[in-house]
């Protein structure tokens, strides 16, 4: 299988980019053999703390990330909550709003949200009976908590994604993350996006 297409802001660290410690150098060597491909994991909920049935992590080529994100969002109830923030701070949570209203707003920053390695975000719904969440990590793979495995596996099949037990995720290894707006000035800066969302969602 082809190696995973990463966002332009994130790459696996080389020996010249990290501290010269045995543990880090060992992890860099491991990364050279990593199974970084498109695919997903699937794990049942083994606790009673939160009302989800299963959890998944999903690798997809960065150019297809937003389309998969939108497809998975269709499995959430009509009202949802946006969670977002800088990777080094506590996340912000919007009030529960109609999902299309949230999606319309965040689509203004579709490129930045898909590419900026300093941003994490997602949508969630939780009540006493169920938790559904679609969350994009800083390294731009998806975490999914769900209750409808039939819906989930159909979306995976629609995107040609397979359940791969030995799949790796890029943040298991030393990474270098760069600012998207500094790489290309046409993009909105991380803090400006967060402030825009805070103003809109009244956080």
């Amino acid at each position: 299988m082809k190696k995973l297409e990463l966002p332009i802001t994130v790459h696996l660290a080389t020996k010249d980019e990290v501290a010269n410690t045995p543990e880090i150098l060992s992890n860099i060597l491991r990364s050279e053999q990593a199974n970084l491909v498109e695919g997903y994991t699937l794990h049942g909920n083994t606790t009673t703390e939160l009302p989800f049935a299963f959890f998944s992590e999903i690798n997809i080529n960065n150019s297809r990330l937003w389309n998969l994100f939108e497809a998975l969002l269709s499995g959430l109830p009509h009202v949802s909550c946006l969670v977002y923030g800088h990777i080094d701070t506590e996340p912000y949570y919007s009030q529960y709003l109609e999902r299309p209203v949230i999606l319309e707003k965040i689509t203004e920053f579709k490129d930045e949200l898909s590419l900026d390695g300093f941003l994490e975000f997602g949508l969630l719904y939780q009540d006493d009976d169920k938790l559904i969440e679609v969350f994009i990590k800083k390294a731009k793979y998806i975490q999914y908590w769900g209750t409808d495995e039939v819906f989930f596996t159909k979306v995976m099949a629609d995107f040609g994604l397979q359940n791969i037990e030995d799949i790796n995720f890029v943040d298991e290894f030393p990474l270098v993350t760069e600012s998207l707006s500094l790489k290309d000035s046409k993009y909105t800066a991380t803090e400006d996006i967060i402030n825009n969302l805070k103003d809109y969602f009244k956080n």
Side-chain angles (χ1 to χ4, degrees), residues 114-162:
S114 298
L115 292 166
D116 192 328
F118 291 109
L119 283 170
E120 294 187 333
F121 70 101
L123 269 73
L124 66 86
Y125 175 87
Q126 183 175 353
D127 60 25
D128 291 340
D129 299 318
K130 63 184 173 183
L131 165 65
I132 307 171
E133 181 171 359
V134 187
F135 190 77
I136 297 184
K137 295 287 289 179
K138 65 179 184 180
K140 304 311 174 189
Y141 66 90
I142 295 176
Q143 293 182 326
Y144 185 87
W145 292 259
T147 57
D148 186 344
E149 192 171 328
V150 172
F151 162 79
F152 176 79
T153 55
K154 182 181 184 306
V155 173
M156 295 298 100
D158 288 345
F159 280 80
L161 301 174
Q162 299 178 354

Side-chain angles (χ1 to χ4, degrees), residues 13-19 23-33 173-174:
T14 66
K15 295 177 182 179
D16 297 330
E17 295 174 309
V18 296
E23 181 179 4
I24 291 176
L25 293 178
S26 174
N27 284 331
I28 286 178
L29 288 175
R30 286 198 312 113
S31 74
E32 295 171 358
Q33 304 300 320
F173 309 101

Side-chain angles (χ1 to χ4, degrees), residues 30-161:
R30 286 198 312 113
S31 74
E32 295 171 358
Q33 304 300 320
N35 194 22
L36 292 171
V37 295
E38 289 195 316
Y40 66 96
T41 63
L42 190 63
H43 305 286
N45 184 4
T46 58
T47 75
T48 58
E49 296 176 5
L50 291 170
F52 64 94
F54 64 93
F55 169 71
S56 175
E57 293 183 305
I58 310 156
N59 275 340
I60 190 163
N61 288 336
N62 190 255
S63 56
R64 303 206 297 154
L65 176 68
W66 194 265
N67 289 340
L68 178 58
F69 176 64
E70 288 189 320
L72 289 170
L73 289 185
S74 69
L76 272 76
H78 191 64
V79 294
S80 302
C81 168
L82 175 68
V83 52
Y84 62 97
H86 192 284
I87 60 173
D88 293 330
T89 63
E90 290 297 313
Y92 298 96
Y93 293 84
S94 77
Q95 63 273 43
Y96 274 78
L97 298 167
E98 293 184 355
R99 179 163 38 84
V101 171
I102 297 176
L103 188 57
E104 180 180 14
K105 178 58 182 177
I106 66 175
T107 299
E108 293 179 22
F109 303 109
K110 170 184 172 181
D111 291 340
E112 288 87 349
L113 291 169
S114 298
L115 292 166
D116 192 328
F118 291 109
L119 283 170
E120 294 187 333
F121 70 101
L123 269 73
L124 66 86
Y125 175 87
Q126 183 175 353
D127 60 25
D128 291 340
D129 299 318
K130 63 184 173 183
L131 165 65
I132 307 171
E133 181 171 359
V134 187
F135 190 77
I136 297 184
K137 295 287 289 179
K138 65 179 184 180
K140 304 311 174 189
Y141 66 90
I142 295 176
Q143 293 182 326
Y144 185 87
W145 292 259
T147 57
D148 186 344
E149 192 171 328
V150 172
F151 162 79
F152 176 79
T153 55
K154 182 181 184 306
V155 173
M156 295 298 100
D158 288 345
F159 280 80
L161 301 174

Side-chain angles (χ1 to χ4, degrees), residues 141-197:
Y141 66 90
I142 295 176
Q143 293 182 326
Y144 185 87
W145 292 259
T147 57
D148 186 344
E149 192 171 328
V150 172
F151 162 79
F152 176 79
T153 55
K154 182 181 184 306
V155 173
M156 295 298 100
D158 288 345
F159 280 80
L161 301 174
Q162 299 178 354
N163 186 348
I164 301 175
E165 290 187 5
D166 64 345
I167 196 170
N168 292 116
F169 296 90
V170 68
D171 57 3
E172 297 173 29
F173 309 101
L175 291 180
V176 174
T177 303
E178 302 171 275
S179 168
L180 179 62
S181 59
L182 289 181
K183 287 188 73 69
D184 192 327
S185 61
K186 73 180 182 182
Y187 295 113
T188 304
T190 307
E191 291 300 331
D192 290 339
I193 292 172
I194 292 172
N195 288 333
N196 188 294
L197 294 176

